[in-house]
Amino acid sequence: MTTLEELLAGWLPQQRWYGSKGRPVTGLVAHRGEPLTGAHGRLLPLLVQVTFGDGGPEETYQVPVALRPEPWEDIAHSLLGQVDGEFVYDAPHDPDAAALLLSALHDQTRAGQVSFHRIAEINTDLRPRLVGAEQSNTSLVYGEQLILKLFRRIAPGLNPDLELTRALQAAGSVHVAAVHGWIETEIDGQEATLGVLQAFARSATEGWKLAQASVRDLYAEADLHADEVGGDFAGESHRLGSATADVHALLAQALPTRVADRAEAAATAQQMHDRLDYAAAEIPALAEHAGTLHAAFAQVAGREGVPTQRIHGDYHLGQVLRTDTGWLLLDFEGEPARPLAERTALMSPIRDVAGMLRSFDYAARSLLADHPYEPGLEYRAGEWAERNRTAFCEGYAAVTGRDPREDEVLLRAFELDKAVYEVIYEARHRPSWLSIPLGSIQRLAA
């Protein structure tokens, strides 16, 4: 008879959010919570602990499953299999199971070690729908009013997305979506965040989509510059820079800050060196630039007196929404693949600035692959990126009084470090885009 663990062993590595594809799995244990029961089945909370044969750290994933006595064709794509006469589905794909999560948040249910909390009223009649674009987490929208983000990769400790959003909400920020509730459990004696329920920005548009629309407008015009086309994005970039600075300022007021000493600067530089060495060993095209990059990172080691604080940590155009009233910042959890201790460490806000500047470069150049070569198209991409990078920095400076480009050593090093990360990602997932970060490294290195 098939066990739940056997089903998960075949299903888990196929998921987009599973972070260890290719690593040899030596063990998988499903830690079951107490089920939530509804009219059409049950939702079973699961934490799946995975161990590997490469000597690397184990990982824990959240896989809530819906258990049904009969199969349901509408969600057949999310079927894991059958165990003990019940059909097992990935719960976010099951509307009845998704409704159980919202009811549990409303009732502040405790199901074994899993507890549900709310800080605002919740309408349990809202119908759920699964957000189609699945990345490192899974999101459910309820009635176009609330959105529940379920974290898939779980670590002991308070998730920074919940921590920072609540801190900003308490400080009165208009640039985050209000938290309505959260789900947590206990791992190794520490609380661990499983999900966050927030207000859903129904009329909002993702920054990445807006930026790409602007780039398309530019490419469609044969003889106009970036500041002459109707879809010029620079005004929005300026406003986004100001919103980013506002958020950084509130985080510095609400949470600890520190001025980094030489030892901390050296540790930051060493992390950059290590990432580069790892990437260069895997991607030969990066190795030819390694000397220049190491020299840029070495300059960081000599920096003293750099203000550090809590920051976003994975900042780009896909993490911001343009609403009718302004910009919202999302997903403060940092890069999920990095250890929680690293994601919650105090860092220079220049790291966030560098992430957004890299994103402008991506928005401009990601569309080049969709166009046949045209003379000057690369130049136009560079012109668009530089115009919006400038506008963002000027918007940031309008709030802080200091242009982040004045921190030239830090900004260049953080941009290069981000580009190294991008090289690894593109080589593994989108080889046709590998030229984007490699080209940026070549330009930055020059």
Side-chain angles (χ1 to χ4, degrees):
M1 182 179 294
T2 304
T3 66
L4 184 56
E5 279 79 4
E6 289 170 336
L7 289 183
L8 289 164
W11 178 85
L12 189 61
Q14 307 304 317
Q15 307 314 302
R16 170 71 183 270
W17 39 262
Y18 179 73
S20 293
K21 293 178 175 65
R23 293 180 68 189
V25 175
T26 57
L28 185 151
V29 179
H31 299 279
R32 297 157 173 80
E34 291 185 9
L36 305 175
T37 303
H40 301 287
R42 297 179 297 149
L43 183 147
L44 182 64
L46 283 182
L47 287 181
V48 183
Q49 189 175 8
V50 185
T51 54
F52 303 93
D54 56 10
E58 64 183 30
E59 295 175 351
T60 301
Y61 291 91
Q62 179 183 197
V63 187
V65 294
L67 304 174
R68 285 181 166 268
E70 301 291 339
W72 188 13
E73 187 62 31
D74 288 357
I75 57 171
H77 60 282
S78 66
L79 179 67
L80 277 69
Q82 196 172 1
V83 173
D84 296 332
E86 293 184 296
F87 293 86
V88 183
Y89 297 91
D90 185 32
H93 293 264
D94 185 327
D96 295 321
L100 286 174
L101 289 172
L102 193 65
S103 294
L105 282 160
H106 174 271
D107 298 339
Q108 303 199 73
T109 300
R110 184 171 185 90
Q113 288 191 318
V114 178
S115 56
F116 297 78
H117 306 268
R118 66 175 172 89
I119 54 178
E121 287 298 318
I122 296 173
N123 180 1
T124 58
D125 293 329
L126 300 175
R127 294 181 60 82
R129 67 172 175 86
L130 184 67
V131 176
E134 191 166 293
Q135 300 295 327
S136 57
N137 303 302
T138 301
S139 294
L140 290 157
V141 171
Y142 294 89
E144 306 303 307
Q145 296 181 30
L146 299 171
I147 182 167
L148 173 62
K149 182 198 296 182
L150 295 173
F151 301 111
R152 289 296 196 165
R153 188 167 175 178
I154 307 298
L158 179 62
N159 190 291
D161 194 17
L162 176 59
E163 179 190 9
L164 299 191
T165 305
R166 281 195 305 193
L168 288 165
Q169 183 176 344
S173 176
V174 297
H175 298 300
V176 292
V179 174
H180 285 244
W182 67 94
I183 310 170
E184 67 184 21
T185 189
E186 186 176 299
I187 298 177
D188 298 334
Q190 298 184 61
E191 65 177 309
T193 312
L194 299 179
V196 179
L197 183 72
Q198 292 177 269
F200 180 63
R202 176 170 27 189
S203 62
T205 304
E206 186 185 86
W208 175 257
K209 293 181 180 178
L210 290 173
Q212 287 207 310
S214 172
V215 174
R216 288 191 185 94
D217 286 347
L218 174 63
Y219 288 176
E221 299 289 348
D223 56 355
L224 295 180
H225 293 284
D227 61 342
E228 298 172 330
V229 295
D232 183 25
F233 194 64
E236 292 296 348
S237 297
H238 189 280
R239 286 184 281 273
L240 180 57
S242 296
T244 304
D246 281 336
V247 166
H248 282 162
L250 286 177
L251 287 175
Q253 293 172 20
L255 297 168
T257 63
R258 184 172 60 245
V259 176
D261 58 22
R262 184 176 289 270
E264 290 169 310
T268 298
Q270 189 58 52
Q271 290 176 348
M272 295 175 171
H273 290 304
D274 292 344
R275 276 191 287 271
L276 174 57
D277 289 339
Y278 175 81
E282 184 173 326
I283 297 98
L286 184 60
E288 63 183 270
H289 303 291
T292 302
L293 270 64
H294 277 306
F297 299 156
Q299 289 185 288
V300 175
R303 300 275 293 178
E304 286 187 274
V306 174
T308 62
Q309 61 171 87
R310 298 296 298 278
I311 65 170
H312 186 284
D314 186 24
Y315 200 43
H316 53 77
L317 286 164
Q319 306 282 43
V320 295
L321 294 177
R322 183 62 166 92
T323 72
D324 295 338
T325 57
W327 285 100
L328 288 182
L329 278 62
L330 311 172
D331 300 335
F332 285 82
E333 62 176 318
E335 294 174 6
R338 298 194 180 190
L340 185 63
E342 187 175 329
R343 290 187 278 139
T344 57
L346 303 188
M347 303 179 190
S348 167
I350 298 298
R351 185 188 290 271
D352 277 351
V353 172
M356 187 57 69
L357 298 188
R358 291 289 312 122
S359 196
F360 287 127
D361 192 62
Y362 252 75
R365 291 182 167 84
S366 62
L367 293 176
L368 291 179
D370 300 331
H371 289 71
Y373 177 74
E374 300 173 22
L377 198 58
E378 173 65 28
Y379 170 82
R380 292 160 73 79
E383 182 185 51
W384 186 95
E386 189 56 36
R387 175 169 173 76
N388 286 280
R389 287 162 59 95
T390 297
F392 178 87
C393 290
E394 289 176 349
Y396 194 94
V399 173
T400 64
R402 179 177 173 81
D403 192 313
R405 291 171 296 182
E406 295 178 30
D407 294 305
E408 182 180 357
V409 169
L410 274 183
L411 185 58
R412 181 167 178 261
F414 282 134
E415 277 203 75
L416 286 169
D417 183 49
K418 183 67 173 180
V420 169
Y421 167 83
E422 294 162 356
V423 165
I424 300 173
Y425 182 89
E426 302 301 0
R428 292 176 178 175
H429 301 285
R430 291 183 301 201
S432 63
W433 284 26
L434 183 57
S435 61
I436 298 175
L438 283 176
S440 298
I441 286 173
Q442 189 170 14
R443 288 188 296 274
L444 286 165

